[in-house]
Amino acid sequence: MPADTWWKNGIVYQIYPRSFQDSNGDGIGDLDGIRARLDYLVALGIDAVWISPIYPSPMADFGYDIADFCGIDPRFGTLDGFDALVSDAHSRGLKVILDFVPNHTSDQHPWFVQSRSARNDPRRDWYLWRDPAPDGGPPNNWISNFGGPAWRFDPTTGQYYAHSFLKEQPDLNWRNPEVRAAMYEVLRFWLRRGVDGFRVDVLSQIIKDAQFRDNPANPDFVEGQDPFHRWLMLYNTDLPEVQEIVLEMRRVVDAFSDASASRVLIGELYLPLPRLVAYYGQSANGILEGVQLPFNFQLIGAEWQAAHIGQLVRDYEAALPAGAQPNWVLGNHDRSRIASRVGPEMARLAAMLLLTLRGTPTLYYGDEIGMTDVLIPADEVQDPFEKNKPGMGLGRDPERTPMPWSAAPHAGFTTGTPWLRLADDWRTRNVEAQSRDAGSMLALYQRLIALRRAQPALHQGDHEALQAGDDVLAYARNSGGQRLVVLLNFGTTSAPISPALIPRKPTVLASTDPARADVVDGPMVLAPYEGVVISM
Ligand code: GLC
């Protein structure tokens, strides 16, 4: 694909490295494991892999607590192994996107070890240190995303440090120019090794109020809700200064883009629509200078209903700045899996939605075989989110279980003991079994991905909303003279489609129903939960 179009026309696939493929029998997935599965990804048809953190880490938050931004954790492999992975991926036409975690480091990172050692240490100001409140308590009311105050008292120097997540994840001070310079060097380190872009972790939170003011109370807070929502995050999220940093990051990354390879920034942003689209940045000479893809997570929280999703798509399309590339996400390592949220039949419809909407789709590993959340018994819980706030349904282990590859022991994931249990159905729901079944979820994903790649209307066409009845989400994708119509029946009953919309005997390019014939004999009627792509 031409240089600047891979992240526009292509498909991103998220790998949670601990759970993708183990190569050395320690029960934890690794880089050589990913390398061994590249041909699977090529056959699936995706264009880029985003790999969650693989850097040296005490694993308090499974790699999102980083002790060295420029290394590889021995559990995952070595730098040489990483280079080999990039080279093998590139030789197959696959791009490699790394996770960049700028908000915090591990408390074991040498920067923090120095910073906490003395008030006058040169790295003191690399983190957010504050005196206790007059009563000795935390400096303000900010709450950690993982529960409890976002501040930890450090007796050595008698001050508190800020941590938006675990106490093992102290927040960096992005107001300090030395921190910025050091973190931009981290980007350059990986860009020089050939990575094609970064998914930027909790981008909206990286800079905090310079005066550390208390957050105001959330008037909509209901007792019993996650206490995290008790305050509005006015002074520690989405401050105007974040945009400055985004612009700087973009310049660093752009310096490595050339005619043969364009590098991309993807922002992790859970924000309301108007705030989200601001992360595309301002336009300079017709080019938006923010992150190219501010992750659009709206489908993750959506009510799974045609009218609601139709509205959400229209609102998103209308909110996008000129020249912005839309994108869609169905799931990730932090949220319940799509097949569990909507059920197995609807998950097929969701696959068609994701792969036919206008915008770059991101797939979460295992969703292509319909993996579901796995119930993890209390004594096997790994995720600190669940350990800190037990019983609130916040734990993320269920959506992080090992990929089932085959009916071999431990589903071919490992020869050892998997770090997290496999789903009960791994003997039947696995890649090998689904590869042999034309009606499987995997076959559907493969067909839809191939169709998206083959049809310009799907990978680069415009989006036109259509009306087709209450339970049917309908839209056209147009490019040049080509017009494809997508019809998705969210209803539990069959849905006849008006001949004014779809003439008799239409050609069906894809259906979620494997038994559907290519040419319909008569008027179009959708089966319950059926989705189709029709060539006009
Ligand atoms: C992001 C990651 C999540 C992690 C958190 C802290 O939200 O997706 O997994 O726990 O940041 O780094």
Side-chain angles (χ1 to χ4, degrees), residues 160-381:
Y160 281 83
Y161 64 85
H163 60 91
S164 300
F165 292 85
L166 297 174
K167 68 177 185 342
E168 292 86 357
Q169 293 167 299
D171 285 5
L172 282 164
N173 175 14
W174 274 82
R175 292 184 186 275
N176 183 331
E178 290 177 16
V179 168
R180 294 193 190 192
M183 291 303 277
Y184 299 152
E185 262 319 299
V186 170
L187 292 175
R188 291 189 193 100
F189 175 86
W190 294 107
L191 288 163
R192 279 188 216 106
R193 295 195 106 85
V195 312
D196 301 285
F198 301 92
R199 171 267 191 190
V200 187
D201 193 63
V202 285
L203 180 56
S204 63
Q205 289 190 40
I206 59 180
I207 201 154
K208 322 286 187 302
D209 182 41
Q211 297 167 53
F212 296 91
R213 280 169 280 189
D214 274 340
N215 277 327
N218 174 7
D220 300 326
F221 180 76
V222 187
E223 253 353 290
Q225 234 185 325
D226 182 351
F228 177 70
H229 299 295
R230 190 177 288 278
W231 313 103
L232 297 174
M233 292 172 75
L234 186 66
Y235 293 118
N236 52 354
T237 299
D238 193 28
L239 300 190
E241 294 95 320
V242 184
Q243 299 301 335
E244 225 176 80
I245 296 170
V246 169
L247 187 65
E248 290 174 5
M249 283 182 188
R250 176 66 184 270
R251 292 202 174 128
V252 172
V253 169
D254 274 355
F256 286 80
S257 292
D258 56 37
S260 68
S262 112
R263 321 281 177 124
V264 69
L265 287 175
I266 306 176
E268 188 207 19
L269 297 155
Y270 288 93
L271 291 173
L273 192 49
R275 293 307 313 152
L276 174 68
V277 298
Y279 282 75
Y280 281 106
Q282 301 291 322
S283 172
N285 306 321
I287 295 176
L288 291 164
E289 294 199 304
V291 296
Q292 289 99 324
L293 301 173
F295 258 149
N296 169 19
F297 295 130
Q298 295 180 90
L299 291 177
I300 292 184
E303 197 184 318
W304 217 253
Q305 200 218 68
H308 178 74
I309 295 195
Q311 188 63 47
L312 181 157
V313 174
R314 286 193 297 277
D315 290 348
Y316 181 60
E317 283 280 345
L320 290 169
Q325 170 66 15
N327 76 89
W328 297 95
V329 184
L330 277 183
N332 60 35
H333 63 297
D334 295 327
R335 305 288 151 142
S336 168
R337 283 191 181 268
I338 181 71
S340 288
R341 299 201 312 270
V342 303
E345 288 128 330
M346 203 69 121
R348 294 176 70 88
L349 202 69
M352 184 172 277
L353 175 72
L354 177 72
L355 292 165
T356 58
L357 279 173
R358 184 174 90 90
T360 310
T362 299
L363 266 59
Y364 183 48
Y365 88 94
D367 281 352
E368 76 274 23
I369 55 168
M371 276 177 82
T372 52
D373 295 345
V374 177
L375 193 70
I376 306 295
D379 60 344
E380 292 176 22
V381 166

